[in-house]
C-alpha cells in the first residue's frame, strides 16, 4: 500500500504546480455562446451524507454522458465527423470520453486529423498534456487492419504511431484492437484479483476487515470486466475456488468448513464474502436490462450488431433472467449439512437471538486466522479423534485423549470433558464473569475505571458506603442451602436491594435449560439473603452464553437488570468464543 507521503507527492505534482491557461482561445467563446441559454443552477450545499447516499445507489459501469457542460465533447460533435456503424444510421459515432481517456472514431484519415487538431488545441488551452506513450491509431478497411499505415503528426510536430495486426492498445483497462482480446484480459484479471487477495491476507487486519478489503479492492477488478468479457460459469467457479484456496493458505478458512457460509452475510452467521458467479450474473442482468430498455439510436445499433456470442447477448429479443443462487438457497444448503448445519439450526431456534449470537462476527475485531478457526469449531470440522474415526474413517480410537471415557467430539472438547472442567473451562467462565464484575464495581463506585478482563484479578470482597460486592464467595445462611456459592453477589443496604449473578458457558444445545436451572437453583439462597439482610427485593440474574457465543432473546434484558452496556455484552461474547478457541487449540495441539 502507498504511504501517506508518496500519495501527497503524487497529487502535489498534479494539483500544486501552477499553470497559465490560455483564456483567449477561440473555442472558449464558441462554448460560452452555446451555453448562454442555459438556466443557472441554484446554489446547493452537498454534505458527506449526500455523497455517501448517491454513491451507494450508483453502478460502477455507469458514467455521466456527454452534455453541454462537457466542452470537449461539444467541440468534437460540432465537427460533424465520425463513423457510421450501419447504412441506415442517421447519427455519427465520433468519440468515447471517460475522464481523461478519449477514443476518436473517424470515417477517414482527413477527419481523424481534423478531430486531433481540436483535441490538441483544447488540451493546450487547459494545459493538459498528451500521454503519447499510451496513444495509438488504428486504420481499418473492410474489417481488416491496414498494414504499414503512416503515422499521424500533431500540430507541435509529435507523432502518434499506428498499430499493426497483432498489436493492441489499452482503453479503460482493456487491451484491444478491433475487438477485446478476451482470453488475455481474463488471465490478467484473474492474476490481479488473486494478487490483491494475497496482499490483503498478509496484512494484520481483523477477519471482518480482511473480507471487507477483498470485497472492495480485489473483487471489483473482476466485476469491472463483467458484461464486457464473456465469462463461463466454470471460469467464475474456478476463480472463486482459487480465492478460497488462498484464504485457506493464510488460515482464514478451514478447507472442510462450509463453503456456502463463506458467502452468507455476517448478520446471518456467515463471512460476507462476495461470490463472483453471483456478481457476474447480477451485473450482466443489469447491463442487459439497461441496453434492451434504452431506445436511443446509438444503443439500437449496438443491439443490432451484437452477436449471440457476446457477453450480454443483446441480439436476442427476449430478456432472459440470469439464474442466481439466493440467500435462502445458500442457507438451505448450509442447513442441510449434518455437521455444518448444526450451528445454523441452533441460530434459527425459537428462543435464540440470532442477531446477538452473531454480533462477534461484526464487531469483535478478532484476527482472521482466529475467526476462521472459531468458525471451523462451529462447523464441527476440527480433527478430533471422533471426527477422524467416524467422518474420515481412519483406524483410530474415538475415546477422549484426556478423560478416556467419552467420544472425543468437538462438543465434548468445548464443554464436556471432566479433565478440562477444573481449569480450562473455569478460566473461560471467569473471563466472562470478570466483565460483569468490573461493570458492577464501576457502577457502584467501588473503583474508578474498568480493567480488561484478561488482566483483572477481582478481590473477594469490595465494600463502601453500604454497598458490598462479593466475588465467588460462600454465603452463610440460617438454614442450609445447597447452592450457596454464586459467582457474584451484590448487597445494597442503601436501596435495600440485592443481586445474585451466576455465569455459565454451556454447549449450544444447553443454553435454554441452563438459564432455567440457574434461576431455580439460586431461588432458595435469594430467600435466605433477603431475610438476613432485610432487603426489599433480591434478583437472581443468570448470565448464560454458549461456547460458540449463542445467547437467548432475553440477552439484552441484562442491561435492564444489571448496569451493563452493549459493549459489555460484546466483551462477554468475545471472551467466550476466544476461550473456546484457546481450549481446542491447547487440547488438540493445533
Amino acid at each position: 500500500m502507498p504511504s501517506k507521503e508518496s500519495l501527497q507527492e503524487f497529487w502535489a505534482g498534479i494539483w500544486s504546480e501552477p499553470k497559465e491557461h490560455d483564456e483567449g482561445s477561440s473555442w472558449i467563446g464558441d462554448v460560452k455562446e452555446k451555453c448562454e441559454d442555459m438556466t443557472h443552477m441554484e446554489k446547493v450545499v452537498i454534505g458527506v451524507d449526500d455523497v455517501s447516499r448517491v454513491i451507494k445507489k450508483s453502478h460502477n459501469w455507469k458514467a455521466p454522458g456527454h452534455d453541454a457542460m462537457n466542452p470537449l465533447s461539444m467541440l468534437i460533435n460540432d465537427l460533424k465527423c465520425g463513423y457510421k456503424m450501419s447504412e441506415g444510421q442517421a447519427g455519427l459515432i465520433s468519440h468515447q470520453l471517460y475522464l481523461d481517456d478519449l477514443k476518436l472514431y473517424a470515417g477517414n484519415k482527413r477527419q481523424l486529423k481534423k478531430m486531433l487538431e481540436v483535441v490538441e488545441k483544447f488540451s493546450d488551452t487547459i494545459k493538459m498534456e498528451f500521454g503519447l506513450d499510451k496513444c495509438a491509431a488504428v486504420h481499418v478497411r473492410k474489417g481488416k487492419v491496414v498494414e504499414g499505415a503512416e503515422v499521424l503528426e500533431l500540430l507541435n510536430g509529435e507523432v502518434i504511431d499506428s498499430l499493426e495486426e497483432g498489436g493492441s492498445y489499452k482503453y479503460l483497462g482493456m487491451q484491444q484492437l478491433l475487438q477485446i482480446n478476451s482470453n488475455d484480459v481474463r488471465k490478467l484479471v484473474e492474476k490481479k484479483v488473486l494478487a490483491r487477495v494475497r496482499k490483503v491476507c498478509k496484512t494484520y487486519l481483523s477477519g471482518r476487515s480482511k473480507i471487507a478489503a477483498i470485497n472492495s479492492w480485489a473483487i471489483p477488478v473482476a466485476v469491472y470486466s463483467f458484461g464486457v468479457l464473456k465469462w463461463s460459469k466454470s471460469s467464475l467457479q474456478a476463480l472463486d475456488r482459487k480465492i478460497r484456496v488462498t484464504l485457506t493458505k493464510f488460515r482464514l478458512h478451514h478447507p472442510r468448513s462450509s463453503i456456502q457460509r463463506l458467502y452468507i452475510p455476517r448478520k446471518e452467521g456467515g463471512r460476507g464474502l462476495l461470490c463472483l458467479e453471483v456478481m457476474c450474473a447480477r451485473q450482466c442482468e443489469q447491463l442487459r436490462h439497461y441496453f434492451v430498455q434504452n431506445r436511443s439510436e446509438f444503443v439500437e445499433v449496438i443491439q443490432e450488431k451484437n452477436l449471440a456470442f457476446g457477453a450480454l447477448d443483446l441480439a436476442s429479443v427476449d430478456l432472459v433472467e440470469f439464474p442466481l443462487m439466493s440467500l435462502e438457497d445458500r442457507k438451505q444448503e448450509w442447513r442441510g449439512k449434518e455437521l455444518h448445519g448444526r450451528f445454523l439450526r441452533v441460530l434459527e431456534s425459537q428462543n435464540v437471538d440470532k442477531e446477538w449470537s452473531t454480533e462477534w462476527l461484526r464487531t469483535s475485531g478478532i484476527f482472521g486466522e482466529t475467526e476462521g478457526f472459531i468458525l471451523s469449531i462451529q462447523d464441527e470440522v476440527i480433527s478430533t479423534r471422533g471426527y477422524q474415526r467416524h467422518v474420515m474413517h481412519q483406524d483410530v480410537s474415538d475415546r477422549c485423549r484426556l478423560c478416556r471415557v467419552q467420544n472425543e467430539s468437538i462438543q465434548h472438547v468445548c464443554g464436556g470433558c471432566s479433565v478440562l472442567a477444573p481449569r480450562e473451562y473455569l478460566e473461560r467462565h471467569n473471563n466472562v464473569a470478570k466483565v460483569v464484575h468490573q461493570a458492577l464495581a464501576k457502577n457502584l463506585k467501588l473503583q474508578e475505571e474498568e480493567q480488561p478482563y484478561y488482566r483483572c484479578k477481582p478481590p473477594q470482597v469490595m465494600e463502601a458506603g453500604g454497598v458490598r460486592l462479593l466475588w465467588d464467595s460462600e454465603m452463610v445462611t440460617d438454614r442450609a442451602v445447597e447452592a450457596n456459592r454464586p459467582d457474584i453477589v451484590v448487597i445494597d443496604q442503601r436501596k435495600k436491594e440485592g443481586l445474585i449473578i451466576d455465569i455459565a458457558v454451556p454447549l449450544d444445545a444447553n443454553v435454554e435449560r441452563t438459564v432455567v436451572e440457574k434461576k431455580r437453583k439460586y431461588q432458595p439462597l435469594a430467600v435466605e439473603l433477603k431475610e438476613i439482610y432485610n432487603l426489599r427485593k433480591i434478583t437472581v440474574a443468570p448470565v448464560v452464553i454458549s461456547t460458540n457465543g449463542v445467547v437467548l432473546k432475553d440477552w439484552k434484558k441484562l442491561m435492564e437488570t444489571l448496569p451493563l452496556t452493549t459493549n459489555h455484552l460484546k466483551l462477554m461474547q468475545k471472551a467466550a468464543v476466544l476461550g473456546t478457541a484457546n481450549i481446542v487449540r491447547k487440547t488438540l495441539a493445533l
Side-chain angles (χ1 to χ4, degrees), residues 200 205-214 266:
V200 170
L205 295 171
S206 67
R208 177 180 177 274
S209 296
K210 282 185 178 180
I211 296 296
I214 291 172
R266 288 181 173 258

Side-chain angles (χ1 to χ4, degrees), residues 492-498 533-538:
D492 191 341
Q493 293 289 4
R494 300 170 304 178
K495 297 180 180 179
K496 295 295 181 181
E497 294 179 356
Y533 292 99
N534 193 25
L535 302 177
R536 182 172 53 84
K537 72 170 184 177
I538 187 165

Side-chain angles (χ1 to χ4, degrees), residues 73 87 102 138 187 203 208 222 311 316 379 402 484 506 533 560:
S73 286
E87 292 297 329
L102 175 65
V138 181
K187 290 178 182 178
T203 64
R208 177 180 177 274
S316 300
D379 287 343
L402 297 179
N484 64 349
Y533 292 99
E560 300 173 7

Side-chain angles (χ1 to χ4, degrees), residues 261 342-349 351-354 356-360 374 377-380 410-411 413-416 425 428-429 431-433 502-515 518 542-555 558 569-581 583-584:
R261 187 178 186 182
R342 284 182 183 173
F343 183 72
L344 179 59
R345 292 193 288 271
V346 170
L347 285 182
E348 294 176 338
S349 300
N351 295 323
V352 170
D353 190 327
K354 181 167 69 174
W356 267 101
S357 296
T358 57
E359 180 68 21
W360 70 274
I374 293 172
I377 293 173
Q378 294 178 351
D379 287 343
E380 300 189 19
I410 189 61
Q411 293 187 10
V413 174
C414 290
Y425 297 165
R428 177 181 58 190
H429 161 278
N431 284 338
V432 176
D502 202 60
I503 316 295
V505 187
L507 295 173
D508 296 340
N510 298 334
V511 174
E512 291 185 57
R513 184 173 61 190
T514 303
V515 171
K518 292 289 183 186
V543 177
V544 181
I545 177 171
S546 85
T547 56
N548 288 323
V550 174
V551 295
L552 300 182
K553 290 181 177 179
D554 60 356
W555 177 249
L558 285 173
L569 302 185
K570 294 173 185 178
L571 278 175
M572 287 190 281
Q573 188 180 49
K574 183 177 180 179
V577 295
L578 285 178
T580 299
I583 290 169
V584 175

